[in-house]
């Protein structure tokens, strides 16, 4: 997968942290809550645009345009739930737990089940044996798939983008292959939930409640309206989350380590920043793709400090920092077509 000779980074966490100003670790609750309020307001605005567009049949493009932006806004709300999972959105741990549960349940994500696995992903990021998603296949595992035609690859990519995130939640696909077949983000008896079973059950109950409320809303407002205003944007969230996370952790320049060569900082630097959708990614998605490298080193750093923290990070680690500005859909296709496997042995 790596075309050039690779030299693993040798930085320590203390070296990197010592060069960061303390301000980048400080919470600004008013700023965080203002972002949440803005997202909720935009969700209402674009939802209203969908309603108006469906009533004005001569405006054919408006529903699709509204869905595009509504999907981005919903994904931004999902990102806020992600920040709550790291307990970085607000200084209060309880507030983060409650807000994370609400935002993720609204978007059909089992917050605590996903949170505990996501924290394992950060702890073991880049480690072939124990990372929790997008672990690449080895040359031996991929076998005859190397001979797939572009049309087959395109079909597989479409499936990945359409249902990749639900499959990850339901079956832990792209995670460690030695896990039992019944491992998922809903089962409180999945082995990585030994100390978190009650919270996983709370997430499950929350999703049942969301399903009930969605059914009641469908009875009151009509199934078609709920599909237009809620279901389609939620499907778009699934697409964006899959694409963002896949491109975070899959690239010809991103290494994957086996245990003898792995350490926390090397794993944290095994990701890449991307100019994801330009201003739209920065505004709607809260920089989750633009400043992802520093997030992996300091996952509890508030997201709104990502830009300034990345400037300091680049000054410290130099060429070990990776960033690309290629259009993301072009990146998606090229990455899916070229990043097929890692070797059976080596780093």
């Amino acid at each position: 997968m790596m075309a050039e000779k690779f030299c693993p980074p040798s930085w320590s966490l203390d070296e990197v942290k010592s060069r960061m100003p303390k301000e980048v670790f400080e919470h600004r609750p008013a700023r965080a809550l203002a972002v949440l309020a803005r997202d909720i307001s935009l969700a209402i605005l674009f939802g209203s645009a969908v309603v108006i567009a469906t009533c004005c049949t001569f405006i054919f493009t408006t529903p699709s345009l509204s869905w595009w932006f509504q999907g981005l806004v919903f994904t931004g709300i999902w990102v806020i739930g992600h920040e709550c999972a790291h307990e970085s959105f607000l200084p209060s741990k309880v507030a983060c737990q409650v807000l994370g549960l609400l935002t993720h349940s609204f978007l059909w994500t089992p917050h605590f089940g996903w949170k505990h696995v996501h924290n394992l992903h950060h702890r073991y990021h880049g480690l072939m044996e124990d990372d929790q998603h997008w672990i690449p296949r080895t040359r031996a595992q991929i076998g005859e798939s190397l001979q797939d035609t572009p049309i087959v690859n395109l079909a597989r990519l479409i499936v990945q983008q359409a249902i990749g995130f639900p499959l990850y939640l339901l079956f832990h696909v792209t995670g460690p292959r030695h896990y039992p077949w019944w491992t998922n983000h809903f089962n409180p008896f999945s082995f990585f939930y030994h100390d978190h079973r009650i919270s996983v059950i709370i997430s499950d109950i929350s999703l049942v409640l969301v399903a009930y409320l969605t059914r009641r809303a469908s009875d009151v407002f009509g199934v078609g309206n709920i599909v237009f205003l809620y279901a389609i944007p939620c499907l778009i969230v699934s697409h964006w989350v899959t694409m963002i996370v896949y491109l975070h952790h899959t690239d010809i320049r991103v290494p994957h380590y086996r245990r003898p060569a792995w350490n926390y900082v090397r794993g944290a630097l095994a990701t890449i920043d991307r100019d994801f959708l330009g201003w739209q990614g920065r505004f709607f998605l809260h920089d989750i793709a633009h400043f992802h490298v520093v997030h992996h080193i300091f996952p509890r750093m508030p997201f709104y400090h990502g830009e300034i923290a990345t400037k300091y990070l680049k000054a410290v680690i130099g060429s070990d920092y990776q960033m690309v500005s290629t259009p993301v859909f072009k990146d998606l296709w090229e990455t899916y077509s070229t990043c097929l496997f890692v070797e059976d042995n080596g780093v």
Side-chain angles (χ1 to χ4, degrees):
M1 196 169 178
M2 299 296 291
E4 301 177 359
K5 184 177 180 180
F6 173 68
C7 182
S10 58
W11 308 100
S12 71
L13 184 59
D14 288 340
E15 283 181 283
V16 178
K17 190 171 183 178
S18 67
R19 300 286 293 274
M20 293 285 165
K22 64 179 182 179
E23 291 79 11
V24 301
F25 300 102
E26 295 176 352
H27 289 91
R28 297 179 183 175
R31 181 174 180 178
L33 292 173
V35 170
L36 176 61
R38 184 195 72 190
D39 283 358
I40 294 172
S41 300
L42 287 173
I44 295 171
L45 174 64
F46 291 123
S48 301
V50 172
V51 172
I52 294 171
T54 54
C55 295
C56 304
T57 55
F58 60 88
I59 306 177
F60 294 107
T61 59
T62 306
S64 299
L65 190 62
S66 297
W67 283 328
W68 170 272
F69 286 109
Q70 186 75 305
L72 288 173
V73 171
F74 274 24
T75 306
I77 293 174
W78 189 93
V79 170
I80 288 175
H82 162 269
E83 297 302 311
C84 290
H86 286 293
E87 299 172 7
S88 63
F89 190 71
L90 294 169
S92 167
K93 179 178 179 179
V94 173
C96 283
Q97 290 175 333
V98 172
L99 188 57
L101 182 65
L102 292 174
T103 53
H104 273 176
S105 296
F106 172 72
L107 297 168
W108 297 95
T109 299
H111 176 71
F112 291 115
W114 176 86
K115 168 185 175 177
H116 300 313
V117 178
H118 188 67
N119 286 338
L120 288 176
H121 159 66
H122 272 267
R123 187 182 304 170
Y124 299 114
H125 179 248
L127 179 60
M128 287 287 291
E129 294 88 346
D130 290 314
D131 200 350
Q132 295 301 309
H133 56 200
W134 296 116
I135 299 175
R137 290 178 290 179
T138 64
R139 182 186 288 271
Q141 290 169 334
I142 198 168
E144 296 182 358
S145 297
L146 282 171
Q147 303 174 14
D148 286 343
T149 62
I151 191 66
V152 172
N153 276 340
L154 178 60
R156 288 181 172 177
L157 179 58
I158 291 172
V159 171
Q160 171 183 299
Q161 291 308 118
I163 59 174
F165 188 52
L167 288 178
Y168 172 67
L169 296 175
L170 288 166
F171 304 108
H172 208 53
V173 297
T174 78
R177 294 171 179 83
H178 59 272
Y179 283 2
W181 65 268
W182 41 264
T183 300
N184 62 62
H185 293 69
F186 304 90
N187 183 357
F189 296 99
S190 293
F191 76 92
F192 38 54
Y193 293 144
H194 290 309
D195 300 324
H196 307 289
R197 286 173 179 161
I198 293 177
S199 62
V200 174
I201 292 171
I202 291 172
S203 291
D204 294 345
I205 293 172
S206 296
L207 291 178
V208 171
L209 178 60
V210 169
Y212 170 76
L213 293 174
T214 303
R215 172 63 185 273
R216 293 293 298 156
S218 299
D219 293 339
V220 174
F221 301 107
V223 173
N225 288 325
I226 297 304
V227 168
F228 268 50
L229 294 171
Y230 180 54
I232 290 176
C234 283
L235 289 174
I236 296 172
V237 172
S238 177
H239 154 73
W240 287 128
V241 170
T242 301
M243 184 173 175
I244 290 167
V245 178
Y246 175 71
L247 291 177
H248 277 166
H249 306 301
T250 311
D251 190 275
I252 198 70
R253 288 151 289 202
V254 171
H256 295 270
Y257 297 93
R258 291 179 171 88
R259 192 169 295 281
W262 180 88
N263 62 43
Y264 176 82
V265 174
R266 286 180 177 178
L269 291 175
T271 186
I272 191 165
D273 285 349
R274 296 184 186 272
D275 183 14
F276 198 97
L277 299 180
W279 70 268
Q280 296 178 69
R282 299 213 58 187
F283 181 80
F284 292 110
L285 305 181
H286 311 313
D287 290 326
I288 192 172
H290 284 76
F291 308 118
H292 191 68
V293 178
V294 76
H295 168 69
H296 258 281
I297 299 176
F298 305 112
R300 293 198 173 189
M301 176 187 293
F303 70 95
Y304 39 79
H305 294 312
E307 183 173 14
I308 185 65
T310 296
K311 293 179 180 178
Y312 284 94
L313 177 67
K314 290 164 64 176
V316 176
I317 67 174
S319 61
D320 288 324
Y321 170 78
Q322 300 284 353
M323 193 273 180
V324 293
S325 300
T326 312
V328 288
F329 284 100
K330 181 175 184 289
D331 256 353
L332 179 64
W333 173 248
E334 290 182 350
T335 299
Y336 194 81
S337 301
T338 57
C339 295
L340 303 178
F341 65 90
V342 296
E343 295 295 344
D344 298 318
N345 299 293
V347 173

